[in-house]
Amino acid sequence: SAVISQKPSRDICQRGTSLTIQCQVDSQVTMMFWYRQQPGQSLTLIATANQGSEATYESGFVIDKFPISRPNLTFSTLTVSNMSPEDSSIYLCSVAPGNEQFFGPGTRLTVL
Amino acid sequence: GQQLNQSPQSMFIQEGEDVSMNCTSSSIFNTWLWYKQDPGEGPVLLIALYKAGELTSNGRLTAQFGITRKDSFLNISASIPSDVGIYFCAGQLTGDYKLSFGAGTTVTVRA
């Protein structure tokens, strides 16, 4: 398994602002992912964070709205840009050191 | 991602009862995973299944990988109050690192 931490754990933001979420893993992993979980919903993959190259985004998600950095094999950031109330969700990072995926505790974002 | 149908959507059970939930897919999966999410937390991996027909236990939890590779079920025996939470199934296609998630089953245990 892997131990994953995220910062911040929660935040309340004003519309039009941006928030950067950090994800730290206790071991080096190649595969790192960012998910969104809207209120009362399941998990939706935003993008795969690739070390040393641009992230790979899923349909419906774009780099301008969700820029991602992956400077090394233990760390990644997701920025939620120009936020609106519709961005209020839990944002989760996950890693796949093998065949299984493990999740961080999530960042609960509320946009007013 | 692929469409996974998870049922039931929610259940209220008495403490001590057994619980069963399942997921079905129109696609053949290589891996089935079951997660539990407590309020305010990220999903925690409960059981991972890799072979058709595989039956795996983790304490009071038992999960099976369906023979057709298009379905999986999770059983919880003798439920206790801490079993409350949302259970998600997730499937992975052969050669794909991405997971597709079910909509979740919300379990509430009556003491």
Side-chain angles (χ1 to χ4, degrees):
Chain A
S1 67
V3 177
I4 306 165
S5 60
Q6 285 185 233
K7 288 183 187 178
S9 58
R10 58 177 60 232
D11 207 342
I12 301 172
C13 301
Q14 297 295 323
R15 70 169 65 215
T17 63
S18 298
L19 176 71
T20 295
I21 302 167
Q22 298 178 4
C23 179
Q24 179 76 52
V25 190
D26 68 339
S27 56
Q28 293 186 338
V29 290
T30 302
M31 306 296 286
M32 188 177 265
F33 310 93
W34 286 98
Y35 287 81
R36 181 177 72 184
Q37 186 177 26
Q38 294 175 300
Q41 302 296 312
S42 187
L43 286 76
T44 301
L45 181 64
I46 297 172
T48 302
N50 305 310
Q51 195 266 332
S53 64
E54 279 196 2
T56 305
Y57 289 84
E58 297 300 303
S59 176
F61 297 96
V62 295
I63 188 171
D64 289 345
K65 175 66 176 177
F66 297 102
I68 288 171
S69 78
R70 181 85 197 272
N72 57 55
L73 292 174
T74 64
F75 186 80
S76 178
T77 67
L78 169 77
T79 299
V80 186
S81 304
N82 188 24
M83 289 183 285
S84 67
E86 292 70 35
D87 294 320
S88 298
S89 293
I90 300 171
Y91 292 86
L92 297 144
C93 70
S94 78
V95 301
N99 292 328
E100 299 155 4
Q101 277 194 32
F102 300 95
F103 286 84
T107 295
R108 184 178 295 271
L109 171 62
T110 302
V111 183
L112 302 177
Chain B
Q2 300 295 314
Q3 187 93 12
L4 292 188
N5 297 310
Q6 185 172 349
S7 64
Q9 183 178 4
S10 63
M11 57 172 60
F12 289 84
I13 57 174
Q14 293 285 344
E15 187 175 352
E17 283 184 349
D18 295 345
V19 175
S20 185
M21 61 195 79
N22 70 84
C23 268
T24 61
S25 168
S26 58
S27 301
I28 292 175
F29 282 118
N30 188 49
T31 301
W32 282 98
L33 304 172
W34 284 93
Y35 291 87
K36 179 181 181 236
Q37 187 175 28
D38 291 327
E41 303 289 330
V44 173
L45 182 64
L46 299 174
I47 292 180
L49 302 159
Y50 300 107
K51 288 195 291 191
E54 180 181 356
L55 186 71
T56 298
S57 293
N58 177 7
R60 292 178 297 105
L61 307 176
T62 302
Q64 183 156 31
F65 194 142
I67 291 291
T68 66
R69 297 173 64 190
K70 293 184 178 182
D71 64 308
S72 177
F73 73 75
L74 175 71
N75 285 344
I76 307 172
S77 62
S79 55
I80 60 177
S82 62
D83 290 333
V84 163
I86 305 176
Y87 293 79
F88 291 101
C89 64
Q92 191 173 48
L93 297 171
T94 302
D96 192 355
Y97 55 82
K98 293 186 238 182
L99 293 181
S100 298
F101 281 84
T105 296
T106 301
V107 173
T108 305
V109 179
R110 296 195 197 97

